[in-house]
Amino acid sequence: MKTINSKIPHIILAATLLTCVSCSSPQPDTPEKARIGVACYNQSDTYIRQLTNCLRDQFDQRTNENDQLALTMTLRDAAGSQRNQNDQVKELLDAGCSILCVNLADRADPSEIIDLAREREIPIIFFNREPVAEDMMQWDQLYYVGADAKQAGRMQGELAAAAILADAQADRNHDGKIQYVVLEGEPGHQDAIIRTEYAVNTLIHQGIQLEKLSCQIANWNRAQAQNRMMQMISQHQNQIELVLANNDDMALGAIDAYKKLNVTESVLPLFFGIDGTDVGLKAVIDKELNATVYNDKEGQAESIANLAVSLITGQGTDDISFMNEKYIYLPYFKVTADHVGEFLER
Ligand code: BGC
Ligand code: CA
């Protein structure tokens, strides 16, 4: 593990703080101010909305705890458009942000944002939507905070396998196979295909015989998932025994579809999500969602905030451990009804 170069000469704040320490001059009465620009791909995304709330809490908390530092977070919502986001990033830079946290609208198209930030020597912390490795190499002041999609998929597969093995009725038609459907996230997103692949392979690895009935893209979205699920139900009626969704919102959309059709409980499939959003956890408590995988938004927000403050002040970067000098991946956790309470308290 390597740590990053902790010097960012252009940030006056760092110099000011260091001067105060080195000459032990009296601490200033008024705190140093720093503005943090956060650009997110879409605030209508449940998980992203909660993650950015956590991020705001983190910056507020640091401001409250440290009277030398006043951090102001400015949030911009690209509503799904990379073009909007490029304009918003330009505005954030013009407004004097000393750090950018970027949740790309199009993870394959960060070049314009990187160029804008590099011209002004403002570091970027990308989060949740990972740029491709080649783009991350464009400049040494680019970082990424996220989680490992393979782990999420593997955990979802383990949770599903455990539930199937524990329930003789899971194979409702008793043909020795589990008929399943998949609700997949946005095409091209690092979390979509990989989560599915690892979930399915884990189930197979655990000795579950699977039969895939259908896989539909619902772009992380609850309403779209409900729609796709209605189509799949009309096609396969009560043959579906398992629904694997790449996130909680889509799993909840699938549950919505069954509710709308008034399907009796005895022919409901098992449902699995990923995220542990507030609504996802509630569905686990209510035993509607069999289990989910916690996508640690609090941990990710804390890592983003730690890194941002280190880059702003030039202090503490040595304590951060990176993978390949610029990546931070937080672990996922399995969530079942047995211990869902732990996650509600976060
Ligand atoms: C989350 C999804 C979210 C997506 C947005 C994923 O990691 O699991 O719920 O919609 O990120 O980029
Ligand atoms: Ca079956």
Side-chain angles (χ1 to χ4, degrees):
M1 296 247 179
K2 288 196 179 162
T3 51
I4 50 160
N5 179 354
S6 59
K7 287 183 212 97
I8 299 171
H10 67 282
I11 296 173
I12 306 150
L13 172 57
T16 317
L17 291 178
L18 288 174
T19 315
C20 291
V21 172
S22 59
C23 63
S24 66
S25 59
Q27 305 281 330
D29 298 326
T30 47
E32 294 296 337
K33 293 191 175 109
R35 197 186 283 270
I36 293 136
V38 179
C40 77
Y41 96 101
N42 204 335
Q43 278 287 297
S44 69
D45 180 302
T46 308
Y47 179 75
I48 293 302
R49 205 168 48 242
Q50 288 196 234
L51 176 58
T52 49
N53 285 342
C54 291
L55 201 50
R56 192 178 288 287
D57 290 345
Q58 285 287 332
F59 290 124
D60 287 350
Q61 195 185 321
R62 278 166 175 70
T63 301
N64 294 338
E65 282 169 4
N66 183 347
D67 52 13
Q68 300 304 302
L69 205 56
L71 304 170
T72 318
M73 167 174 143
T74 309
L75 177 66
R76 290 286 172 269
D77 175 7
S81 147
Q82 192 55 56
R83 236 209 238 162
N84 281 349
Q85 192 167 61
N86 295 347
D87 293 343
Q88 290 172 342
V89 162
K90 190 161 184 307
E91 285 164 22
L92 288 167
L93 289 166
D94 289 344
C97 286
S98 32
I99 276 286
L100 287 173
C101 303
V102 180
N103 175 230
L104 285 164
D106 179 352
R107 64 183 275 263
D109 190 14
S111 291
E112 191 167 330
I113 288 180
I114 294 174
D115 290 345
L116 287 167
R118 186 169 37 194
E119 272 166 31
R120 294 165 173 84
E121 292 191 52
I122 299 299
I124 307 178
I125 304 170
F126 292 105
F127 65 97
N128 170 265
R129 300 165 70 88
E130 185 174 341
V132 297
E134 220 169 74
D135 285 326
M136 287 295 286
M137 302 294 280
Q138 286 196 44
W139 185 33
D140 66 358
Q141 288 304 314
L142 304 177
Y143 301 93
Y144 179 72
V145 176
D148 175 17
K150 294 182 193 138
Q151 187 190 29
R154 215 178 283 128
M155 287 183 168
Q156 187 182 56
E158 286 166 4
L159 287 163
I164 290 163
L165 294 171
D167 175 6
Q169 292 311 308
D171 176 16
R172 280 201 322 270
N173 63 356
H174 304 288
D175 67 347
K177 290 182 271 184
I178 297 294
Q179 279 70 28
Y180 77 101
V181 302
V182 176
L183 284 163
E184 206 151 74
E186 212 181 333
H189 193 295
Q190 82 278 348
D191 288 337
I193 295 170
I194 296 178
R195 285 179 179 173
T196 306
E197 194 182 307
Y198 276 74
V200 169
N201 288 342
T202 302
L203 276 156
I204 295 170
H205 201 76
Q206 303 243 340
I208 311 286
Q209 300 266 359
L210 291 176
E211 183 187 346
K212 177 159 133 190
L213 297 179
S214 186
C215 174
Q216 298 288 324
I217 292 167
N219 296 303
W220 308 121
N221 181 280
R222 183 166 179 163
Q224 283 184 39
Q226 176 184 329
N227 224 295
R228 300 285 172 276
M229 195 70 227
M230 302 277 274
Q231 290 163 4
M232 292 193 280
I233 297 169
S234 77
Q235 203 179 341
H236 303 287
Q237 282 94 35
N238 57 11
Q239 284 176 60
I240 304 167
E241 296 170 337
L242 169 66
V243 177
L244 296 174
N246 283 169
N247 77 345
D248 284 355
D249 259 23
M250 294 190 293
L252 294 170
I255 295 168
D256 294 341
Y258 280 94
K259 283 188 183 161
K260 199 161 172 188
L261 295 170
N262 266 322
V263 174
T264 48
E265 207 170 307
S266 62
V267 291
L268 281 182
L270 301 174
F271 300 92
F272 294 87
I274 292 175
D275 275 344
T277 53
D278 291 347
V279 276
L281 295 178
K282 179 163 186 303
V284 173
I285 295 172
D286 295 345
K287 304 260 167 86
E288 289 183 344
L289 184 59
N290 291 79
T292 187
V293 177
Y294 202 73
N295 191 358
D296 186 5
K297 53 191 180 316
E298 290 80 9
Q300 291 170 34
E302 189 180 1
S303 289
I304 296 167
N306 280 343
L307 178 55
V309 171
S310 300
L311 292 167
I312 291 168
T313 61
Q315 290 173 346
T317 40
D318 291 347
D319 303 332
I320 299 175
S321 21
F322 293 95
M323 257 180 72
N324 296 331
E325 296 172 40
K326 44 179 74 198
Y327 293 89
I328 299 175
Y329 294 105
L330 277 286
Y332 284 96
F333 304 97
K334 292 181 194 174
V335 187
T336 62
D338 295 340
H339 66 301
V340 58
E342 283 168 36
F343 294 91
L344 285 171
E345 285 156 20
R346 293 195 175 210

